[in-house]
Amino acid sequence: MATLPLAPADIDLPWVALDLETTGLDNKKDAVIEIGAVKFSGDQVLDTFQTFVNPKRRLSAFIRDYTGIRQADVAGAPEFDVAAARLTEFVGASPVVGHNVGFDLGFLEAGGAALPNPRCDTYDLAFVLLPGAGAYNLGALAKALGVSAGRAHRADADAAMVHGVFRNLEDMARELDAGTISAMRRLAGASSWVLDYFLRSLEAASLRAAALSVPSPGAGISGVDTEALAGRLRRERALRPAGPPEPVDPDHVEALLRSGSPVAGALPGFEEREEQVAMARAVADAINGADPDAGQAARLIVEAGTGVGKSLAYLLPAALYAIANGKRVVVSTNTINLQEQLIRKDLPALAGALDDAGEAGEAGLKFTQLKGRANYLCLKRFEHLRSSGNVSVPEARMLSKSLVWLGDTETGDRSEINLGARDTASAWDRISAQGALTCPDMRGPCFLRAARERAAASHIVVVNHALLLSDVTAGGALIPPYDVLIVDEAHHLEDEATRRLSFEVGQGALSDRLQTMAGERGVLRETAAAVAASGAGEQGRATIETASSQVSALVPAARERVARLFAAVNDVLFSEAESRSQWGPQTEARVTSGTRAQPGWSEVESRWHHVDAALETVGDGLRGLLAEMDSLRDADVPNYEGLLTELAGELQHVGDVRRMLREAVPHPEDDVVYWCTLNRRDGGMVLHAAPLSVGELLETALYSQNETVVLTSATLSSGGTFKHVLERTGFEGAEELLLGSPFDYRTAAEVYVPNDVPEPNAQGYAEAVGLAISQAVEAAGGRTMALFTSHAALQATASALRQRLRSRGIDVYAQGVDGSPHGVMRRFIENPNSLLLGTASFWEGVDLAGESLQVLVLARLPFNVPTEPVFEARSELFERPFIEYALPQAVLRLRQGFGRLIRTKNDRGAVVILDSRVVTRRYGRTFLDSLPDMKIDRCRLADVGGKIESWLAASA
């Protein structure tokens, strides 16, 4: 029984909550304008401190609006030296707590008033103790914890909020078991993490209050009760087919989708829809049409417009078939939003309705979501990193968060936790199952295995396209066997197949991984150190030390050869490129047969030989080291299984890189596109490869392996036919069903196309876009989203409009400027008086039903960049590439963007298309004809605002 460490000598000192307001975020050039502090002991406030600070400069309008601090407030205030001296006296020897406290202390230090006191960060504390919190900013935490908030962005009020948040989190921390606290404290001490003092104090307080001892952790993972965890991961029995297939009765399916049926009565908000009935009958017919004994497969492609209710239309017949036959149906989607809708809303509602109607059988409808390896925590990798004794701050933060989370989770799925905006994604990568491709020991609890067992026991398994296609390339090893596949959001199938069948080798990534493997914190040194501390004999320890050192010694030469290879590629692809001053941040160059015929390519191949030989030697060394480690299985090597997992992962990575470079350089495939990207900022280069066509592979490895395949989406047709998508995805011989939307678009929306806007790339176009957007957002009083095809245009528009719109009480939220897509979307929904500017990810998958969105502006027709390597190579396959390939893709994307506006039958709104090519070019008619039946008003730019205002008022 290990005892807790002695208490810090200053454990009884009160804490001081601290907050600063500044003129900006850079402590080298910005200045402090207000300091607030609260001295407290527990819930009792002992004293407070507040002072304005004279920054000796004018406050910007933004800072005045943001903080409410006026120029007069700081003009007569003490200068920084005086204010900081008063703060230092107030704080004394007390530990300091703040939210992102490093920011505040950094400003003090930059001004020459560093506080050496112990410190704690409420961001980090909340990040760990509230694993699934939606946000970790101070205001969100205060609201979630019931802490009263004062004036936003004022130092004294924020310091008081820090006190309240800290006290709530401190109480939560005291509820943790002693083993978890001790494990977290060791991580903090090993990494010099900002929570070190707090965790030591927590341990000491527990010791003083209850004379506690740290119990021995269960099953080998310190801080985790693995016995309880194993109990939560209960094993489930896989489905068993019930015998000869029993068909689904389409008439019965239709009856259940009619008003008054038991299922309809049990589904909240059910509405009878003819389009939904037609689709459900078609899906049932497709399931019944398969005849595996005769080698006959059934295929169906369905476009179901917004409002059809396509999810229920395919889930109902699929569920009835799966329940009756003990079979499994896989539903694949592209977006997280749709997966969440299916798992959290549609399937639970359907399961309940079928149960109420007596249609669910004895066990009921079973369903689950299955994800790729990277989404699940690997307990062996977790323990390997936790016990390494040499962790970084982000790793300590991630591991501690996981310790708390592991007390409750039944899935180990990263979607349950918020990784935050800090540098924790790479730390997650070090503990996810993605890096455990070869697991040497299948004993003990395993989240990935448990997820696959749940899938094997489910009638309906929801996956994403990435996992579906990874399963294809893995020969069906990732998803339990199924014979009915429904691909929703099928317009993404080609792109996702392209990504899954692509590869890339980056100079920096490869070099860094080799260096990490051989570095101070790398697996080679960890392996030697673990064996040295084990019960292995002297010869065994010496053998492992020698083998590890030999592999480490090979790394510098391998990295040097990698650098030389990429330098040769650079000489061939980029040295003769046209004016580098015209390059963007990233430049792409295809590697074609012409490239390989250049004299310089022989040098590339020569240097590849050297790289391949070096990596082969590294791989042989790793293979030998693994063999030697296998002989020490009974030597009680600390974290033995974790070390084997990491070594096997490195060996596989080396083999994969050799295979990819061999194909990219000397032995290219005929049906693959190769190219290289050069990052202009840091000179980093990446070699890429992608299939020229995916249809044949999808036919061979996916469609033909299933009895029934259904492709569906709200946007699959172009020009009224499925020709484009069928050709691109190789989905031949399918029944076709094209269903419109039940919505009355004539009364729901109007489209405005200003005919006097200059064409894109013409002089005056950017100014016209800005004018049109400002008119639209002012007419609607916010509630406007503008979609762009480039980040540069988005940023320029945001910069041009922000000040003008703010003066009218309208905020601007720009993707990539004001936060992540999720972050700006959340702020847009919370604040109706705002404008949202988005690019690629906002053209679809965004659901803003109701009054959140009333005006949609499409800045430009969404054509692909013609020089993008894969698009360019595929275009070369067509006689008329623009008409046959570029245009259909752009039409589909425009329809997806348009679909953001009208999401329910009660929605009303206006669409503005600012690309005059829809009316000036012959192909423009194709875009307009692809939209639902509604009024299209070809107006003047100056009239846009008035027309929107009149339309919204009339349709209110």
Side-chain angles (χ1 to χ4, degrees):
M1 301 287 284
T3 57
L4 289 164
L6 295 176
D10 55 358
I11 190 172
D12 292 321
L13 286 173
W15 285 82
V16 172
L18 174 67
D19 187 79
L20 307 182
E21 298 301 329
T22 64
T23 60
L25 303 179
D26 189 341
N27 61 33
K28 293 181 175 60
K29 64 180 183 181
D30 292 309
V32 177
I33 56 176
E34 186 183 22
I35 301 174
V38 176
K39 184 175 291 186
F40 62 91
S41 179
D43 293 327
Q44 183 182 6
V45 174
L46 305 176
D47 200 358
T48 61
F49 177 92
Q50 186 276 335
T51 182
F52 292 113
V53 181
N54 189 342
K56 297 187 290 189
R57 68 185 73 179
R58 299 290 302 174
L59 301 183
S60 69
F62 172 77
I63 291 298
R64 295 196 304 271
D65 293 341
Y66 185 73
T67 65
I69 297 174
R70 301 165 300 168
Q71 193 68 40
D73 293 326
V74 297
E79 294 185 4
F80 176 81
D81 291 346
V82 175
R86 293 176 184 171
L87 173 67
T88 302
E89 182 180 359
F90 177 84
V91 173
S94 291
V96 175
V97 59
H99 200 73
N100 293 315
V101 71
F103 174 87
D104 303 291
L105 297 178
F107 264 90
L108 293 176
E109 183 175 0
L115 288 177
N117 306 50
R119 68 278 312 269
C120 179
D121 195 325
T122 46
Y123 178 99
D124 286 57
L125 202 53
F127 182 83
V128 168
L129 297 176
L130 301 170
Y136 295 114
N137 62 75
L138 184 59
L141 289 173
K143 183 177 181 180
L145 296 172
V147 175
S148 60
R151 299 164 298 179
H153 311 302
R154 288 298 300 272
D156 53 346
D158 285 353
M161 267 201 294
V162 168
H163 169 217
V165 168
F166 175 76
R167 283 292 299 118
N168 276 270
L169 295 173
E170 184 180 33
D171 287 343
M172 291 181 192
R174 294 186 189 281
E175 296 296 319
L176 297 174
D177 67 85
T180 301
I181 293 172
S182 181
M184 290 166 56
R185 191 265 307 159
R186 285 194 294 272
L187 289 167
S191 61
S192 300
W193 183 23
V194 70
L195 295 190
D196 183 35
Y197 173 85
F198 173 80
L199 291 168
R200 287 192 296 114
S201 300
L202 197 62
E203 267 193 332
S206 297
L207 175 64
R208 240 173 30 168
L212 292 177
S213 296
V214 179
S216 298
I221 300 181
S222 178
V224 179
D225 186 343
T226 50
E227 291 182 3
L229 178 59
R232 294 198 298 274
L233 302 183
R234 59 189 181 279
R235 307 194 72 160
E236 300 186 47
R237 180 178 298 178
L239 293 179
R240 294 182 179 179
E246 180 180 327
V248 182
D249 182 356
D251 292 335
H252 183 53
V253 170
E254 176 175 345
L256 292 175
L257 289 174
R258 294 298 184 184
S259 297
S261 76
V263 168
L267 289 173
F270 176 85
E271 295 179 8
E272 185 176 312
R273 304 165 189 172
E274 291 302 325
E275 295 87 353
Q276 185 179 63
V277 170
M279 179 176 176
R281 290 189 66 102
V283 173
D285 287 339
I287 292 174
N288 296 337
D291 186 353
D293 294 334
Q296 177 181 340
R299 299 179 183 182
L300 171 68
I301 184 168
V302 185
E303 178 176 286
T306 305
V308 165
K310 63 180 168 57
S311 298
L312 181 60
Y314 62 68
L315 287 177
L316 177 59
L320 293 174
Y321 165 78
I323 292 169
N325 295 287
K327 293 288 191 81
R328 188 174 301 105
V329 175
V330 167
V331 176
S332 181
T333 78
N334 185 69
T335 62
I336 294 175
N337 284 347
L338 181 52
Q339 291 173 53
E340 293 295 312
Q341 175 189 316
L342 293 175
I343 287 295
R344 300 185 186 278
K345 179 183 175 185
D346 295 346
L347 281 166
L350 178 60
L354 291 175
D355 190 53
D356 291 344
E359 301 276 356
E362 293 183 6
L365 176 64
K366 295 183 178 180
F367 57 89
T368 191
Q369 184 176 12
L370 183 62
K371 300 182 179 182
R373 284 177 167 272
N375 292 280
Y376 299 102
L377 183 142
C378 172
L379 289 167
K380 288 185 172 60
R381 299 192 80 212
F382 170 85
E383 178 60 9
H384 169 74
L385 181 59
R386 191 207 62 78
S387 62
S388 67
N390 186 14
V391 295
S392 66
V393 168
E395 289 165 351
R397 189 186 293 123
M398 187 72 250
L399 290 166
S400 295
K401 185 188 194 81
S402 300
L403 281 167
V404 176
W405 175 47
L406 284 169
D408 297 311
T409 183
E410 297 182 359
T411 68
D413 183 344
R414 65 177 288 177
S415 67
E416 294 181 353
I417 60 175
N418 182 349
L419 293 183
R422 294 193 176 185
D423 47 358
T424 49
S426 60
W428 170 266
D429 292 342
R430 293 203 64 187
I431 60 176
S432 81
Q434 184 63 44
L437 299 178
T438 304
C439 186
D441 180 14
M442 294 299 290
R443 297 169 297 176
C446 174
F447 292 117
L448 178 61
R449 185 175 67 241
R452 290 178 176 172
E453 288 174 354
R454 285 194 298 273
S458 296
H459 296 109
I460 296 181
V461 180
V462 178
V463 302
N464 63 14
H465 295 350
L467 179 60
L468 177 71
L469 293 159
S470 294
D471 184 61
V472 169
T473 59
L478 307 181
I479 304 174
Y482 57 94
D483 51 25
V484 175
L485 170 64
I486 299 171
V487 181
D488 202 341
E489 300 178 314
H491 57 281
H492 282 290
L493 191 59
E494 181 191 17
D495 287 344
E496 191 56 48
T498 300
R499 277 189 285 272
R500 290 299 115 186
L501 298 171
S502 299
F503 67 76
E504 64 179 44
V505 181
Q507 175 187 353
L510 175 56
S511 183
D512 289 348
R513 181 153 182 174
L514 289 170
Q515 181 59 36
T516 298
M517 179 181 70
E520 288 289 337
R521 301 178 59 239
V523 66
L524 296 176
R525 297 204 179 189
E526 285 186 8
T527 300
V531 172
S534 73
E538 183 176 344
Q539 182 175 351
R541 293 196 298 270
T543 299
I544 295 299
E545 174 63 36
T546 299
S548 298
S549 298
Q550 286 176 342
V551 178
S552 295
L554 296 170
V555 166
R559 295 178 70 220
E560 175 62 25
R561 292 180 181 186
V562 168
R564 289 178 177 272
L565 168 63
F566 278 91
V569 173
N570 180 74
D571 288 344
V572 173
L573 295 179
F574 299 110
S575 62
E576 300 300 324
E578 59 190 50
S579 180
R580 294 194 177 205
S581 63
Q582 298 178 6
W583 289 359
Q586 182 171 281
T587 301
E588 298 174 324
R590 280 178 63 190
V591 181
T592 63
S593 56
T595 307
R596 299 175 191 277
Q598 295 181 31
W601 194 257
S602 61
E603 179 64 19
V604 173
E605 293 190 359
S606 174
R607 293 188 181 183
W608 164 79
H609 278 292
H610 294 300
V611 170
D612 189 62
L615 292 178
E616 181 180 26
T617 306
V618 170
D620 289 342
L622 287 169
R623 196 173 292 107
L625 180 57
L626 273 166
E628 295 295 345
M629 283 292 288
D630 189 60
S631 67
L632 299 178
R633 185 169 293 276
D634 298 322
D636 197 25
V637 176
N639 195 29
Y640 178 77
E641 300 296 344
L643 291 168
L644 289 186
T645 299
E646 296 300 312
L647 287 169
E650 294 299 336
L651 176 59
Q652 178 160 335
H653 176 255
V654 169
D656 289 343
V657 169
R658 290 185 65 204
R659 173 184 57 78
M660 290 185 272
L661 287 176
R662 183 182 301 112
E663 179 184 328
V665 179
H667 300 299
E669 300 286 344
D670 292 338
D671 56 353
V672 176
V673 185
Y674 301 94
W675 74 99
C676 187
T677 57
L678 172 65
N679 188 311
R680 190 180 180 191
R681 294 190 179 96
D682 59 14
M685 296 177 63
V686 181
L687 278 169
H688 305 262
L692 190 57
S693 174
V694 299
E696 184 177 343
L697 176 104
L698 289 174
E699 167 60 39
T700 303
L702 185 63
Y703 310 144
S704 64
Q705 302 302 309
N706 294 283
E707 297 173 14
T708 301
V709 181
V710 177
L711 303 190
T712 185
S713 171
T715 51
L716 282 174
S717 67
S718 178
T721 77
F722 294 111
K723 181 176 182 292
H724 176 74
V725 72
L726 291 175
E727 289 178 348
R728 300 310 308 157
T729 59
F731 197 54
E732 299 179 352
E735 294 291 323
E736 301 179 10
L737 181 61
L738 183 57
L739 297 170
S741 170
F743 296 159
D744 181 1
Y745 280 93
R746 276 278 167 184
T747 61
E750 284 196 353
V751 179
Y752 304 106
V753 183
N755 52 25
D756 53 348
V757 173
E759 287 196 359
N761 301 324
Q763 186 175 2
Y765 170 73
E767 291 77 9
V769 168
L771 176 60
I773 292 175
S774 65
Q775 285 189 59
V777 71
E778 289 176 33
R783 297 179 174 85
T784 299
M785 177 165 68
L787 297 178
F788 294 80
T789 58
S790 82
H791 284 281
L794 179 152
Q795 292 169 8
T797 303
S799 177
L801 294 182
R802 195 181 300 274
Q803 195 60 42
R804 171 181 174 172
L805 293 179
R806 182 178 288 122
S807 68
R808 290 163 171 75
I810 297 172
D811 290 323
V812 176
Y813 303 131
Q815 175 190 351
V817 178
D818 301 304
S820 66
H822 175 76
V824 295
M825 177 63 66
R826 176 178 51 80
R827 294 167 71 184
F828 178 69
I829 293 172
E830 291 173 351
N831 176 17
N833 298 321
S834 60
L835 165 67
L836 177 63
L837 307 179
T839 56
S841 61
F842 282 92
W843 280 79
E844 62 176 303
V846 174
D847 196 346
L848 293 168
E851 294 188 356
S852 296
L853 178 66
Q854 292 195 322
V855 178
L856 176 70
V857 181
L858 306 178
R860 188 169 182 164
L861 295 177
F863 286 107
N864 285 87
V865 177
T867 56
E868 190 277 320
V870 176
F871 179 82
E872 182 182 55
R874 288 175 174 171
S875 296
E876 294 168 358
L877 301 175
F878 295 88
E879 290 185 8
R880 299 183 301 160
F882 179 79
I883 297 298
E884 296 177 84
Y885 185 49
L887 183 59
Q889 289 208 331
V891 167
L892 285 174
R893 199 167 294 122
L894 181 82
R895 294 182 63 207
Q896 291 154 16
F898 175 83
R900 299 315 96 214
L901 183 66
I902 305 300
R903 307 299 296 168
T904 74
K905 67 176 184 179
N906 296 318
D907 288 350
R908 299 290 183 270
V911 179
V912 183
I913 300 177
L914 297 176
D915 193 328
S916 59
R917 289 177 295 179
V918 296
V919 293
T920 62
R921 301 295 178 92
R922 182 179 300 175
Y923 61 77
R925 189 76 245 171
T926 306
F927 286 99
L928 297 180
D929 288 345
S930 73
L931 298 177
D933 180 29
M934 70 186 83
K935 180 182 177 182
I936 297 176
D937 188 340
R938 302 180 185 185
C939 60
R940 295 187 310 140
L941 176 61
D943 296 334
V944 167
K947 287 181 174 290
I948 290 175
E949 189 171 2
S950 298
W951 165 252
L952 293 179
S955 61

